[in-house]
Amino acid sequence: MAEQRRRARRGAATALATLLAAGVLVACDGQEDPTPAPTPTPRPPAETIELTFGAYGSEAEVEAFRGVVDTYNDSLEGVEVTLEAFPDAEALAQEVRDGDTPPDVFLLSRADLDETIAAGRSTPLGELVDERGVDFGDGYSRDSVLAFAADGDQQCMPYGSSPMVVYYNTALVDFERMAERGLDAPVPDEETGDIERFTFDQFRAAAQFASRPRRGTKGVYVEPTLRGLAPFVYSGGGQLFDDNGEPTSLAFSSDDTREALAPTLELLRDPAVTLTDEQLAEATPLEWFARGRLAMVPGFRSATPALREQEGLDFDVLPMPVIDDAVTTGDLTGLCISSETGAQAAAADFLVYLVSAEAVSRVSAQGYLVPANLEVASSADFQQPGQLPEHAQVFTDSIDDLLLLPLIESYADLEQAVRAPLRQLFTTPVPDVEALTTQIDEQSRTVLDPEGLESESPSDEASEDAGDEASETP
């Protein structure tokens, strides 16, 4: 398309030069001047290409996106981009999949990638970005690039990363004082002050140290969800799913996962160190943390701007606790081009601008985004020295330990299906772990493998039960 436009422009320029030359010719040998060439009829300027850009985020992020769009529009004639803001990732993904006029360029959570591709709503980007000189090799981590690759092509450009880390109150969790008391505390690097490894034993010691009944403080809260437990399960050598490619069940009843859950649940069930139901009914864990009454809470970069606004709150971040291996979970976002766009070349030009260091820095400076662009991730626009958290590089370092969960149709449905037994693991003083983990796996199949459940006829199950009873009969 771009080459056709260039050829058209060259052709128009040649024709105009010929007309100008003809207009200044004079007759020779006394002949009268020829009739002047007619003046070309003025043509209206080429129609402006109109594009839409679908994005979501906080008000500050949306305003940053709007500024990026305005800058692009001001710098280029013939293209007009309009920002379409959506309340969240799910709303935008649904518009892309089901809307009559999806945005030409859109932000997409990796969790929605499979459904978007299945609906035929994304344009493969390989050739489009190659033609525009986008550098995958040095500009992005290999994992972030592969996360948005499918069907032998790049489906979206990596844009943001969101690894889970531990936010901690530096007044309640004082590692120097812990060390002085002989408690297990991480030792910062002498030169950088960084804490590169935070073991589960240190995590437990910090939670117990910060829990002070007289001061009304608790040590830690981890939400009783799959997302909350995932880093601990994988770090301890367990698995969340029976298959990471095409899961048909959760894997909580496996020996490895039960073993990984043991130390985690022992700590998170302790009412002396974690929030009670009454406290959770009063405020969210992040609100308790902001009040200075909760010492540690796992979270994402998006929580940073709001925490900075809390007067008197001093906080920093640590990597997720390590049981056996360093593992965290989270989400990635990418920028994609709609298969429905009528201006693919213009959309590709705009996408390349969106992933440039200039544009990403502008959004990253708001404090919510962990950029996939490695140049910006190491810059002051993201690290933001002089602002909390002091060790923002924990976010970028944690990307190396980010384990991407399988792409399934709806994590919300899966969380709901196993919510009750999962919560019992956290709240029952002495739970029947074997029974509850088995129940979790069975109920997960209603979402992950409903067809398999339907194919298991009652008569088959009755036969299996009868066989089991027979084998137990002396």
Side-chain angles (χ1 to χ4, degrees):
M1 183 70 71
E3 181 61 28
Q4 291 176 351
R5 290 200 298 269
R6 285 194 291 271
R7 290 176 179 172
R9 286 196 293 269
R10 287 198 295 269
T14 302
L16 180 58
T18 302
L19 288 170
L20 290 173
V24 299
L25 287 177
V26 296
C28 299
D29 300 332
Q31 296 180 358
E32 295 181 0
D33 293 343
T35 303
T39 302
T41 302
R43 296 182 179 181
E47 290 186 8
T48 298
I49 298 174
E50 296 183 353
L51 296 175
T52 53
F53 170 41
Y56 60 89
S58 66
E59 288 186 16
E61 286 178 290
V62 169
E63 284 307 305
F65 281 127
R66 197 179 308 281
V68 167
V69 168
D70 290 344
T71 299
Y72 187 77
N73 288 336
D74 292 342
S75 67
L76 191 67
E77 294 183 359
V79 177
E80 185 73 20
V81 182
T82 300
L83 175 67
E84 294 183 356
F86 290 80
D88 51 41
E90 183 178 354
L92 175 51
Q94 184 173 351
E95 176 65 21
V96 169
R97 293 192 303 268
D98 305 327
D100 294 332
T101 56
D104 297 286
V105 179
F106 55 89
L107 195 62
L108 186 74
S109 165
R110 178 183 173 272
D112 297 311
L113 181 63
D114 266 13
E115 284 188 271
T116 302
I117 294 174
R121 288 302 184 99
S122 65
T123 296
L125 301 181
E127 291 186 8
L128 292 172
V129 295
D130 284 346
E131 291 171 355
R132 289 159 176 79
V134 175
D135 182 6
F136 283 104
D138 297 327
Y140 300 87
S141 71
R142 181 173 180 273
D143 288 342
S144 68
V145 173
L146 292 178
F148 287 98
D151 298 336
D153 207 334
Q154 195 68 33
Q155 300 295 328
C156 305
M157 279 294 297
Y159 187 72
S161 301
S162 187
M164 184 184 290
V165 300
V166 175
Y167 281 85
Y168 76 104
N169 183 311
T170 54
L172 298 178
V173 180
D174 188 327
F175 292 127
E176 289 186 6
R177 289 178 58 198
M178 288 177 60
E180 291 171 357
R181 296 185 183 185
L183 301 176
D184 191 355
V187 180
D189 183 272
E190 292 184 1
E191 295 184 3
T192 65
D194 298 346
I195 296 174
E196 297 181 356
R197 185 178 176 87
F198 186 40
T199 69
F200 186 83
D201 289 339
Q202 293 165 348
F203 177 63
R204 175 168 47 208
Q208 293 169 343
F209 175 83
S211 299
R212 306 291 178 86
R214 291 184 180 180
R215 297 183 182 180
T217 61
K218 292 294 183 74
V220 66
Y221 184 79
V222 174
E223 60 181 11
T225 62
L226 297 176
R227 185 177 75 165
L229 274 180
F232 299 93
V233 169
Y234 285 110
S235 179
Q239 295 290 324
L240 212 61
F241 296 90
D242 62 348
D243 186 288
N244 283 331
E246 297 182 4
T248 60
S249 169
L250 291 173
F252 274 66
S253 59
S254 71
D255 291 341
D256 289 341
T257 300
R258 285 173 175 167
E259 185 176 346
L261 285 171
T264 305
L265 294 176
E266 182 182 4
L267 175 64
L268 302 182
R269 278 199 305 265
D270 186 351
V273 302
T274 195
L275 297 173
T276 64
D277 287 343
E278 291 76 14
Q279 289 174 314
L280 292 171
E282 178 183 335
T284 68
L286 200 60
E287 288 170 340
W288 282 110
F289 182 84
R291 295 175 183 179
R293 303 278 297 280
L294 181 64
M296 295 183 292
V297 61
F300 302 93
R301 175 70 176 189
S302 57
T304 294
L307 293 176
R308 286 173 176 170
E309 295 178 0
Q310 300 300 312
E311 186 175 351
L313 177 65
D314 291 324
F315 68 93
D316 207 342
V317 288
L318 291 162
M320 290 300 292
V322 176
I323 299 176
D324 292 326
D325 300 306
V327 177
T328 188
T329 55
D331 191 21
L332 299 175
T333 55
L335 285 166
C336 322
I337 294 177
S338 171
S339 60
E340 304 293 318
T341 183
Q344 188 180 92
D349 291 340
F350 177 59
L351 180 144
V352 169
Y353 173 70
L354 285 175
V355 299
S356 68
E358 173 191 350
V360 175
S361 293
R362 190 164 185 170
V363 179
S364 181
Q366 301 303 317
Y368 297 86
L369 175 71
V370 182
N373 183 308
L374 297 180
E375 178 185 347
V376 181
S378 62
S379 73
D381 289 308
F382 169 71
Q383 299 292 335
Q384 299 178 342
Q387 298 191 68
L388 298 177
E390 182 179 353
H391 297 92
Q393 77 280 353
V394 169
F395 291 102
T396 51
D397 291 345
S398 294
I399 294 174
D400 293 335
D401 303 322
L402 182 61
L403 187 149
L404 297 176
L405 300 180
L407 295 174
I408 65 175
E409 186 170 340
S410 175
Y411 272 96
D413 290 344
L414 180 60
E415 290 277 11
Q416 183 60 34
V418 300
R419 181 176 181 272
L422 199 58
R423 180 171 172 74
Q424 289 181 57
L425 282 177
F426 278 73
T427 58
T428 305
V430 185
D432 186 338
V433 174
E434 182 174 347
L436 286 173
T437 53
T438 299
Q439 183 182 354
I440 288 171
D441 290 353
E442 290 175 350
Q443 292 183 195
S444 72
R445 293 185 63 195
T446 61
V447 175
L448 297 174
D449 188 30
E451 295 180 358
L453 282 176
E454 291 178 0
S455 66
E456 295 176 359
S457 67
S459 59
D460 291 341
E461 294 178 0
S463 299
E464 291 176 5
D465 292 340
D468 291 341
E469 292 175 3
S471 65
E472 294 173 1
T473 304

